Amino acid sequence: MGRPSTSTPLPGDTKVLSIGLHPSALDYSRMPDGVDEAVLTARIEAANAALREAGFDAVPCLIDISPDRAEATVREQLQEHAFGLAMIGGGVRMLPENTLLFERLVNLLTEAAPGIRLCFNATPDDTVEALRRWIQA
């Protein structure tokens, strides 16, 4: 069996690394009204519960905005588990000040876990949909 193409769905039992910014790492003065650390923490917890309920084998990985500390955290997870898919959250990708962080994570994932697929959400609320794009139901 050859290597799957980028459009081939992954098996339903694929282990997923779900990477997102730790709620304490964000500057809430730039967030929409009503979004604070407690609200974001609750949304992340709800998203993780939804992943479990949907049957995904997902490992949450909350990171710091420091590229060095974030890379160390992700590297620890990669040493503990073999992941077929990594989901990188919107806070990492969509905030311009996190461009270096995003680049470092993508490079780490592709170097340390050859063949890993990447997917992206926009908010914690659409994480299940992001994973369903790549993992067979």
Side-chain angles (χ1 to χ4, degrees):
M1 180 175 183
R3 185 174 175 177
S5 73
T6 56
S7 62
T8 304
L10 296 166
D13 63 350
T14 299
K15 187 172 279 297
V16 177
L17 181 61
S18 180
I19 302 169
L21 291 176
H22 194 285
S24 66
L26 294 169
D27 174 3
Y28 290 95
S29 69
R30 299 178 55 203
M31 297 292 187
D33 286 342
V35 177
D36 59 16
E37 188 172 342
V39 167
L40 186 57
T41 297
R43 288 176 64 193
I44 291 169
E45 289 172 359
N48 288 335
L51 290 175
R52 287 188 300 276
E53 289 170 15
F56 290 107
D57 184 6
V59 175
C61 182
L62 296 177
I63 60 171
D64 189 88
I65 58 172
S66 158
D68 289 337
R69 288 190 298 267
E71 188 173 311
T73 300
V74 171
R75 193 175 298 280
E76 286 176 23
Q77 289 295 330
L78 293 173
Q79 290 172 349
E80 290 182 26
H81 305 283
F83 296 98
L85 181 67
M87 195 287 305
I88 302 176
V92 174
R93 297 182 340 276
M94 298 188 318
L95 299 174
E97 62 269 23
N98 290 337
T99 299
L100 176 61
L101 172 61
F102 180 48
E103 288 176 354
R104 295 259 308 259
L105 291 176
V106 168
N107 287 321
L108 168 62
L109 290 164
T110 58
E111 290 170 10
I116 196 167
R117 300 273 189 85
L118 303 176
C119 73
F120 310 106
N121 68 359
T123 72
D125 308 319
D126 68 0
T127 302
V128 169
E129 290 78 17
L131 298 185
R132 283 190 176 141
R133 289 193 298 263
W134 296 104
I135 296 180
Q136 294 177 4

